[in-house]
Amino acid sequence: MTELMPLKYENEILKLLDQRLLPTEEVYLTTRTIEDCFHSIVDMVVRGAPLIGFTGIWGMALFVKHNPKATFEQFARAAEYLKSARPTAVNLAFEIDRCVEMARLETHLNAVYPKLVAHANFEMNNLYEKNLKMAKFAESELQRIYGDRPLNVMTICNTGVLACGVLGTALGVIINLHNQKKLKKVYASETRPYLQGSRLTSFELLKANIDHQIVVEGAASYLMKNKLVDAIFAGADRIVENGDTANKIGTSSLSIIAKHYGVPFYIVAPTSSFDLNLKTGEQIEIELRDPNEILKYKEHHIAHPEAKALNPSFDVTDHNCITGIICENGIIDPMIPGSVREILEKK
Ligand code: MRU
């Protein structure tokens, strides 16, 4: 099977693999403007915290390309517009704010275009190294707990190439374990309502030839009670100062069940997913999405046409349910006060 490439910039056009159609169709959507980028993020053509961050950089580059005479103020306003596409993943704001800082240094805005292009390419390649470091930290941690025994692991949502552009965070850990022959099996939570687990993670696992089964969210307790899972790895959209972590809806309940059954539960995320401006998870804005994502599958009603639904896209996992937060600088024990800030300040 061919390698997945969720985003490519060719001839000054951003091509985005339309993740809404996966795994049945692999179609690239042509994205020419900042508005196209905005809608691609809102409509989940691209998704996953790091990938929407990279799309944010490309969006700002496209803005400059089409508005070479724009003022810095217009650039800054465009940045605020693009940042508003999705509120929970801090990576989008983090990457766009860096673009604004870069533009601030230029006398003429159009000089920042080649720099943004180079920056986007650099950051995506650089994430591969970071993901690999996280995967190695996780491997050592599991070795410490379980020795050499091949492990059964569980994950939620999609945190692989389709979410990062390269290897992946939690899925990067899993792929590395497989490459090291330390993986037995993966349970991929289907991740209602958008089905990132059954549509995207399973697709990536199939491409990597990794033995796995899709499970419904409600199977978590069954799996852990029956000792079918040795460890759980999840990604993050925003990790705040005390270690509370926003990630795909259902992550928090998974962590609570894991704590109940004594299964190690890890968050895996690059430092661009941390937000030290917020002290606790209560301050994180949770994106509420269209109820139709729950009520319908594509155009087919699942529930009665008059039924209503509430669709929070993320939840906050309490730091005391997290065994460790793995980033490129090391593993954080979120129960130790100050440990998040300490590891982020480590060079
Ligand atoms: O709504 P999505 O698909 O963008 O949500 C993605 C997640 O929740 C991921 O776990 C998170 O962004 C980390 S991706 C490395």
Side-chain angles (χ1 to χ4, degrees):
M1 280 202 260
T2 50
E3 289 279 302
L4 285 167
M5 205 188 282
L7 172 161
K8 47 190 181 189
Y9 196 63
E10 287 172 350
N11 304 322
E12 308 204 314
I13 290 170
L14 182 65
K15 292 189 177 158
L16 298 172
L17 181 61
D18 191 343
Q19 298 197 24
R20 298 169 303 181
L21 305 178
L22 292 175
T24 42
E25 286 174 68
E26 288 183 46
V27 175
Y28 281 90
L29 212 77
T30 299
T31 313
R32 295 175 198 276
T33 62
I34 186 173
E35 289 80 12
D36 289 347
C37 287
F38 176 88
H39 292 294
S40 296
I41 295 171
V42 171
D43 297 341
M44 308 254 278
V45 172
V46 272
R47 30 72 45 206
L51 199 70
I52 62 175
F54 299 141
T55 308
I57 306 175
W58 288 117
M60 296 316 297
L62 288 169
F63 174 81
V64 179
K65 181 179 170 291
H66 293 293
N67 303 280
K69 297 205 174 118
T71 60
F72 175 75
E73 286 66 34
Q74 287 169 318
F75 183 83
R77 268 202 301 279
E80 290 307 311
Y81 158 73
L82 195 52
K83 276 162 63 174
S84 71
R86 289 191 81 187
T88 305
V90 71
N91 307 60
L92 181 62
F94 175 84
E95 298 296 359
I96 294 175
D97 284 344
R98 287 210 293 190
C99 297
V100 174
E101 287 316 307
M102 287 167 74
R104 201 189 294 280
L105 301 175
E106 303 296 338
T107 321
H108 299 291
L109 190 64
N110 60 0
V112 83
Y113 173 72
K115 294 182 181 168
L116 292 178
V117 169
H119 177 63
N121 284 321
F122 173 81
E123 286 303 321
M124 208 154 107
N125 293 331
N126 197 24
L127 185 58
Y128 178 83
E129 302 303 325
K130 293 178 183 173
N131 283 348
L132 202 58
K133 278 189 187 167
M134 298 175 215
K136 292 292 173 192
F137 284 130
E139 186 187 339
S140 318
E141 170 82 351
L142 293 173
Q143 175 86 27
R144 187 181 62 76
I145 303 174
Y146 293 110
D148 280 329
R149 167 166 85 76
L151 301 173
N152 296 313
V153 302
M154 185 172 182
T155 191
I156 181 166
C157 196
N158 171 265
T159 58
V161 172
L162 291 169
C164 295
V166 288
L167 186 64
T169 56
L171 205 56
V173 167
I174 291 170
I175 286 170
N176 174 63
L177 287 175
H178 170 74
N179 292 341
Q180 302 307 318
K181 309 209 175 331
K182 292 177 176 171
L183 183 70
K184 197 166 167 196
K185 182 180 197 158
V186 181
Y187 294 101
S189 199
E190 76 170 342
T191 319
R192 281 279 295 152
Y194 210 72
L195 306 176
Q196 290 94 329
S198 48
R199 291 190 305 108
L200 309 177
T201 296
S202 169
F203 188 42
E204 288 199 41
L205 291 170
L206 283 170
K207 280 190 181 271
N209 238 330
I210 295 179
D211 185 21
H212 68 282
Q213 283 177 311
I214 298 166
V215 288
V216 297
E217 249 82 274
S221 177
Y222 167 89
L223 292 175
M224 289 188 242
K225 189 175 175 61
N226 288 292
K227 302 193 183 340
L228 296 173
V229 176
D230 295 307
I232 299 171
F233 294 95
D237 285 81
R238 195 180 291 246
I239 302 167
V240 300
E241 193 177 6
N242 73 345
D244 288 352
T245 297
N247 190 52
K248 183 50 56 196
I249 190 79
T251 306
S252 170
S253 38
L254 199 54
S255 76
I256 293 166
I257 298 167
K259 188 172 178 181
H260 180 79
Y261 288 111
V263 175
F265 178 95
Y266 297 95
I267 293 291
V268 189
T271 48
S272 55
S273 299
F274 287 70
D275 179 2
L276 295 191
N277 294 318
L278 304 186
K279 293 207 173 317
T280 74
E282 283 167 26
Q283 296 169 286
I284 301 175
E285 181 180 349
I286 297 295
E287 176 184 5
L288 294 175
R289 292 190 61 86
D290 186 348
N292 280 321
E293 288 179 355
I294 293 176
L295 298 170
K296 290 180 173 180
Y297 181 70
K298 298 202 187 259
E299 287 315 303
H300 299 285
H301 281 280
I302 301 171
H304 189 280
E306 285 167 30
K308 292 184 178 149
L310 176 68
N311 188 12
S313 193
F314 301 93
D315 58 21
V316 175
T317 299
D318 205 286
H319 66 276
N320 67 31
C321 292
I322 301 172
T323 312
I325 302 174
I326 304 173
C327 69
E328 69 269 25
N329 292 355
I331 306 186
I332 300 163
D333 176 349
M335 290 308 284
I336 301 175
S339 56
V340 171
R341 189 173 282 280
E342 193 183 312
I343 208 150
L344 245 68
E345 285 166 359
K346 192 168 141 186
K347 289 280 172 260

